[in-house]
Amino acid sequence: MRFGSVEFFKVLIKTVLTIVFFLPLVLCIVFGVLLANTNKKLSDTEQKCLEAERSYERISLAAEVLVGERAGSVGDFYEIYKKSGNSDEELIAYVREINGYVDEGGKDTSEPSPAVTEPVSTPAPPPVTTAPVTTPPVPEETAEPTAESPYADIRADMAVASVSAEDMVREQGTVYLTFDDGPSQNTYTILSLLRKYDVKATFFVVPRRTDECYALLKSIVSEGHSIGVHSATHDYEKIYASVEAFLEDFGEAWDIIYDATGVKTSLFRFPGGSVNDFNGDTRDAIIEEMTRRGFRYFDWNVDSYDVGGASWSEMYNSIPRDIAQNYRSVVLMHDSAPRENTVYVLEDILKVLVWEGYKLDKINDNTMPVQFTGPYA
């Protein structure tokens, strides 16, 4: 093939076309493969980062919960911590990170914190068999209160079997819907919505000695919900004037519930919550006496703010959001005539919580309380 001949130019043209069209294609394929590998590595890295972030959030949440717990010793703390479901290694890693610990060449350059390492390096003590340190010891499996109380002669029959701290259940991801101030004209609607979604809830009632109230109380219990005392009068100044006054008010509500349903409930909720502007002088004595009798009080860690006039949209947005921040949630809502927005939003809240996979349960005899100032969170 001579230079300048027709055959020469044919070969030259084919060569140029090959370079112009096929070489870029080959380069695109090569770079595509390289880019895919790079993306895979980035994806793997992002996944690891995401898993680390989730682990950090989980242990961080557990740590926040533990802040509200009261432990009488290192062993008590460790027993409480084990219930969070996190490992010792996760706790150590979390504490090192928030305290700025740095490892150089695999060696920890800082001094370990005794408060954190002691529960890990020493075996857990035998299970605690007494009541929490913030409350007086209560005999187990008995409905008779001890006589070591200045109030022992006041309604001595008003007592229930106590539950030891080690037998109480604290389940992550569980949501307890609670309704105060009922029963009311809204009760049947609330019960109907709960039945529709096969959800059990808890009603802290302000009962009256009327046929209508008795029928509503029976409906609450017959449909499998829990019932507890809120108050007979809901008169803060009267209720919290003294321990005797509280026992009198509580006893009236407790008797009505028993007369209507046959249930001697062990559950109650302080009117206004366990910490309010009216019970500062009597709170501790009331808690001590009620605990001695076997009763357990429940506050809340999610407030619907329906008493404050929260709108449908405010409750719909705030309740699921606040629940997502908690290890477990006790939601405060109200079953009273003025709280129409609570009835309107309830079904939509139930749809969201069911869809998001929460366990919706009533407060049971062994449910560990959520209390503002008590040993439980």
Side-chain angles (χ1 to χ4, degrees), residues 179 184-193 306 310 312 315 333-350:
F179 298 89
S184 74
Q185 63 189 35
N186 295 327
T187 303
Y188 285 128
T189 303
I190 293 172
L191 291 175
S192 175
L193 292 171
D306 53 356
W312 180 96
M315 287 190 280
M333 307 177 86
H334 289 80
D335 170 19
S336 55
R339 310 306 165 203
E340 293 182 347
N341 283 339
T342 303
V343 177
Y344 296 149
V345 79
L346 179 58
E347 181 168 15
D348 298 290
I349 293 295
L350 289 170

Side-chain angles (χ1 to χ4, degrees), residues 83-129:
K83 296 178 182 178
S84 72
N86 295 289
S87 67
D88 297 341
E89 291 74 14
E90 288 176 310
L91 177 62
I92 294 171
Y94 172 76
V95 173
R96 291 190 183 201
E97 179 173 347
I98 64 174
N99 285 282
Y101 288 4
V102 179
D103 289 343
E104 294 181 0
K107 295 182 178 180
D108 191 355
T109 59
S110 60
E111 291 295 327
S113 172
V116 174
T117 56
E118 281 185 16
V120 177
S121 59
T122 59
V128 180
T129 56

Side-chain angles (χ1 to χ4, degrees), residues 323-337:
I323 287 173
Q325 305 302 315
N326 295 332
Y327 182 89
R328 63 189 178 121
S329 298
V330 175
V331 183
L332 172 65
M333 307 177 86
H334 289 80
D335 170 19
S336 55

